[in-house]
Amino acid sequence: LKVKHIVVCGHYNCGGIKSAMIPKDLGIMNPWLRNIRDVYRLHSEELNAIENEGMRYNRLVELNVQEQCVNVVKNPFVQRAMENGLEVHGWVFDLFTGKLIDLNLNFDKILENIKEIYDINE
Ligand SMILES: [Zn+2]
């Protein structure tokens, strides 16, 4: 990996995320939606506690970015590169304000719980 930064970027008000939260057969989209539904399942307790529908969708957008970052960080080559300064960023683009929001993901903290399984560094 000869890059210094990896950016995973999602966007609020994502139609794909909305579709994934509704249990429905969407044909060709199903495999892609299944990944997002997995993220929903992982975080269903937090998400179900959010009463406002729009806020719930947008939180899933953030959590999906987070989980895709975790997928990147799980890669052993990425982990080695991170030891040497590679940074992984999770961002969300807000289409209405035009702002790019850095989720400031703390991978040390996120990976703490799953470290025994994924961390290849001693
Ligand atoms: Zn989208």
Side-chain angles (χ1 to χ4, degrees), residues 26-72:
L26 289 161
I28 200 165
M29 295 281 280
N30 285 343
W32 184 73
L33 295 176
R34 192 168 54 227
N35 289 325
I36 302 168
R37 285 176 180 143
D38 286 340
V39 176
Y40 187 19
R41 180 169 48 79
L42 275 170
H43 299 276
S44 59
E45 212 173 306
E46 177 188 342
L47 289 163
N48 290 337
I50 302 170
E51 280 182 38
N52 180 283
E53 207 181 30
M55 284 172 72
R56 196 161 63 238
Y57 288 147
N58 284 343
R59 184 60 187 141
L60 181 56
V61 169
E62 295 176 353
L63 290 169
N64 187 46
V65 167
Q66 178 180 309
E67 291 304 325
Q68 299 328 311
C69 285
V70 170
N71 278 335
V72 169

Side-chain angles (χ1 to χ4, degrees), residues 11 14-16 32:
H11 68 100
C14 178
W32 184 73

